[in-house]
Each structure stands twice: as structure tokens, then as C-alpha cells.
Amino acid sequence: GSSRCLHQKDFKEEAQWRQGPEKMLRLTLALMVTTALGRGEHFLGKNQKRNVTNATSAMQLVVASCSAYPKCVSLGLTSGTCCPSPGKDGKMLDCCQEGPTACSAYSSCVEQGHTEGTCCAEGSKLDCCQEHPTSCSAYSKCAAAGLSEGACCPSKEGQFLDCCYSAAPAKPAVAVGTECAIYPECVNVDLKEGLCCPTADGVVLDCCSGGSYADAAATDTASTAASEAAGAGPGPQGAAEGAAAAAAEEEVDADAAAPAAAATADGKGKPPR
């Protein structure tokens, strides 16, 4: 009986020993499958996120309604699209330069009773101004869909409606020498951004007539070079020498005139016959 028990014990230990590698192999395979699936889910999620990001970056909030821009409103452009103008080749009108700062473009300002004028200009923003215009009327696509009141971008529920977005417009090439910021007279009248000489519509503003900073610097350099070449203005040493020579000449003349003056006073100075 004892021998049989020992035999069964040995058999069981041998079976366990043989099952050990099989268990290890099964565990290894299971781990490899789990890792592969995890990587697949990771890369799938990454790809999906990238697609969403690309789709979002290809669109942007475009506050195009004229009514959102006080300068456009002051020109009588109270409806329609100004920034940019309608059409495939729409252009930013000059009145868009100061940005969408009208009270009516911000739903919080409208709710506080600010429906006209400027509320959100840099340096003088009211508390009701948000990061960007939220009123439906500020977005031409929302206004065209009949959403002329309230908030759309986002709504009170925090949702951005589809009409808030438009395809990001291609940035037009800027010709060198046309920027407002390089013309002193334009900067003096607070035209520090955009195009002035000429504008995007080909209009040359009055502030361009004084020339650019580069023009002024070139003129000064040319004037200095011409003065130096012509020898205009003697140096300090030459001026001193000239003054000394003039003083010596005056001293000689005074010495020569003294005897004649004395002779005349004594009555002895008679001209020779």
C-alpha cells in the first residue's frame, strides 16, 4: 500500500512538472494577445483623435457680420458680411481693422442692455466681454439661418452651433512695403496693423505720403554723406585756426592805424606834397 501511494505521488509530481511549461506557454500567448489588442486600440484611438483635430483645425470661428465691427457700422454697413466680404475671393474691408468690438456681438453685453456702440475694444473692455463674440448676429452664417438674437457661439448651453464655423480662409500674400506699421504717419493715427500703402483694395491712404521709416533713414544717410563729401562745415581744428587768423589780421590793422590817428590829433599829420 505504501509503495502504491509513493507511485501515485511520483506520477502526480511528474504531471505537474509537465504541465508547468504548458501553463507558461499559455500565459505567454495570452499576454502577447492582450498586448497586441491594447496596441491596436491605442493606435486606433490615436488615429481617431488626430482626424478630429485635423477636422477642427481646418475650421475656425469667423466673425464676418458687418454689425460686429463699429467702424463698419459707422459707415452705414449695418447688415451683411464685411470681414471678409461675400464671395470666394472675399476681402477684409478697411473697417474691419479694429476687430469685432461692437456691444451687439457679445450676448452678455446685450443682456446687460448694451446694444449699440463699442464695448470690447482693447484697453477699455467692459466686464461683459468674452474671449470672442458669442452673439448669433455676429456670425453671418447664423444670421443667414435666421438666428438673429441670443447666443450661438457658444449657446447658453455651452454648445457651438455649426453656423459658427467657416473654412479657414487662405492668408493672402502681403507685398513688402505695404504694411501700416512701417509708416510713421500711419502709426501716429493708430493704424498699426494691416495694409495701408496700399490697402488690400488698392487704396493708398494719406498717411503714406510721408514715407516709411526706411525712407526717412535712407534720406538722413544720403544727406550726411553729401555734406561730408562737399566738406560742408569745417572741423573744430579748422574753425580755431580761422578764428586765430582773423584776430591776427585785426591786430595788424589796429597797429597800422594808431600812428595816423595820433598825428591827426596833434595837427602834425599833414599829407606830403
Side-chain angles (χ1 to χ4, degrees):
S2 60
S3 63
R4 185 171 62 181
C5 289
L6 291 173
H7 178 71
Q8 289 177 348
K9 182 179 179 181
D10 293 340
F11 178 78
K12 186 180 294 185
E13 290 178 353
E14 182 180 359
Q16 290 176 350
W17 179 82
R18 289 186 176 182
Q19 289 177 356
E22 293 179 1
K23 286 184 178 180
M24 289 297 296
L25 179 60
R26 286 198 295 270
L27 288 173
T28 303
L29 290 174
L31 181 61
M32 291 175 63
V33 170
T34 302
T35 303
L37 290 174
R39 288 179 177 175
E41 291 174 355
H42 171 71
F43 286 118
L44 178 60
K46 187 175 182 181
N47 288 337
Q48 288 178 343
K49 185 175 180 180
R50 184 182 297 117
N51 290 337
V52 170
T53 302
N54 288 340
T56 304
S57 62
M59 306 293 285
Q60 69 177 15
L61 292 173
V62 178
V63 186
S65 295
C66 304
S67 61
Y69 298 82
K71 290 189 71 174
C72 296
V73 173
S74 67
L75 296 174
L77 302 172
T78 56
S79 61
T81 304
C82 289
C83 310
S85 57
K88 182 179 179 181
D89 299 324
K91 297 180 179 180
M92 300 292 285
L93 304 186
D94 291 342
C95 59
C96 306
Q97 289 182 356
E98 294 182 0
T101 60
C103 302
S104 61
Y106 297 82
S107 55
S108 297
C109 295
V110 174
E111 290 175 358
Q112 294 182 16
H114 305 294
T115 57
E116 297 180 356
T118 301
C119 285
C120 304
E122 288 296 332
S124 58
K125 290 185 176 181
L126 303 185
D127 293 338
C128 58
C129 298
Q130 292 132 304
E131 183 179 356
H132 57 262
T134 56
S135 296
C136 302
S137 61
Y139 297 84
S140 56
K141 291 177 67 176
C142 297
L147 302 172
S148 57
E149 297 181 358
C152 286
C153 309
S155 63
K156 287 187 175 181
E157 292 74 24
Q159 300 295 323
F160 284 82
L161 306 187
D162 292 339
C163 60
C164 303
Y165 295 98
S166 297
K171 293 184 178 180
V174 177
V176 177
T178 61
E179 304 94 331
C180 303
I182 66 174
Y183 290 85
E185 293 186 12
C186 295
V187 173
N188 290 340
V189 294
D190 207 27
L191 293 174
K192 301 176 182 179
E193 297 181 0
L195 307 180
C196 288
C197 310
T199 64
D201 295 328
V203 178
V204 178
L205 303 185
D206 293 339
C207 60
C208 305
S209 59
S212 66
Y213 289 107
D215 294 336
T219 300
D220 291 343
T221 301
S223 177
T224 302
S227 297
E228 292 177 353
Q237 183 176 358
E241 293 176 354
E249 290 179 0
E250 289 178 1
E251 186 176 354
V252 170
D253 292 342
D255 292 340
T264 303
D266 295 339
K268 298 179 181 180
K270 297 181 180 178
R273 295 182 180 178

